Structure formats: structure tokens, C-alpha cells
Amino acid sequence: MDLVLIDALEVDTVIGVYDWERTITQTLRLDLEMGTDIRPAAAGDDIAQTLDYAAISERIAGFAEAHQFALVETFAERLAETLRAEFAIAWLRLTVRKPGAVAAASAVGVSIERGSRPGGA
């Protein structure tokens, strides 16, 4: 299995459990690993045969703009469900970081894996 990567994608969204957080947008930083076989795309030099990271990045930005959640956990879970369904991603690892949420940390967040890796790995 090969991985298509999107690293440190920044999106703005309304997220947080505190009342003041519900009135502002905050930046989330996402890392995404998506399992696929890139050989068909490489053989034909054809983007239609792989996971289009530009289209996926645009979808993530649209998702962030359209949704408001209290928890980073909910954001990650719903985004993973959306991406897997819309882009036929069999396996993904998604890390969502919320910079500045805890004063003593550069960021807090979650990392989730969903789906099955091809080949059982």
C-alpha cells in the first residue's frame, strides 16, 4: 500500500466548548495519510487514477467552513467519514491539531485511523 499525504493543511472553522469560542473562527492544522495504490496513476500519469490531494484539500476547507463543532474529536470523526465516503478512501489516518488551545502547548488535538489497510497491514 502506498500513502497519499497532506501535511499541515490549515483551515478556519468555528470550534470549541466555551461560549466565546462559538463567536469566532479558529485555525485547525490537519495531517492526512490516505492508503491507496499509486501504480495505476503512475503508469498512465493520470490523476484520475489516484487520490487527488488538491480536490481533497478543497473538500476539507469546505467542510470546515460549513460545520461547527464543540469538540476536535467530533470534527475529526465527521471529516473522516465524509472523506472516506466521497473519495472512496479505504484507510486513512487523520490528525487534527488546535494551536493555542492550551497556553503551555503549541497545539492539542487527536489522531484517528479509520478503515482497513489493504493487505491487512
Side-chain angles (χ1 to χ4, degrees):
M1 178 184 61
D2 306 308
L3 297 175
V4 172
L5 308 173
I6 300 173
D7 288 328
L9 178 69
E10 292 188 350
V11 296
D12 292 326
T13 192
V14 174
I15 192 155
V17 296
Y18 300 109
D19 289 342
W20 65 267
E21 289 182 295
R22 311 303 297 158
T23 64
I24 63 169
T25 59
Q26 297 183 70
T27 299
L28 297 178
R29 188 173 303 119
L30 288 69
D31 296 326
L32 190 60
E33 297 177 40
M34 300 165 285
T36 192
D37 182 353
I38 67 164
R39 289 174 293 190
D45 202 24
D46 183 3
I47 195 166
Q49 298 297 313
T50 191
L51 297 173
D52 182 344
Y53 48 80
I56 293 169
S57 296
E58 287 178 21
R59 181 61 179 107
I60 293 169
F63 178 92
E65 185 177 330
H67 294 87
Q68 298 182 9
F69 300 109
L71 301 177
V72 171
E73 291 85 346
T74 308
F75 180 95
E77 187 66 34
R78 300 296 183 273
L79 178 59
E81 291 170 357
T82 298
L83 295 177
R84 290 189 65 225
E86 293 182 13
F87 293 94
I89 301 168
W91 174 88
L92 65 76
R93 176 180 294 132
L94 171 64
T95 301
V96 179
R97 291 180 178 87
K98 186 175 176 185
V102 173
S106 64
V108 299
V110 299
S111 185
I112 64 172
E113 280 189 41
R114 297 295 178 264
S116 299
R117 285 183 175 219

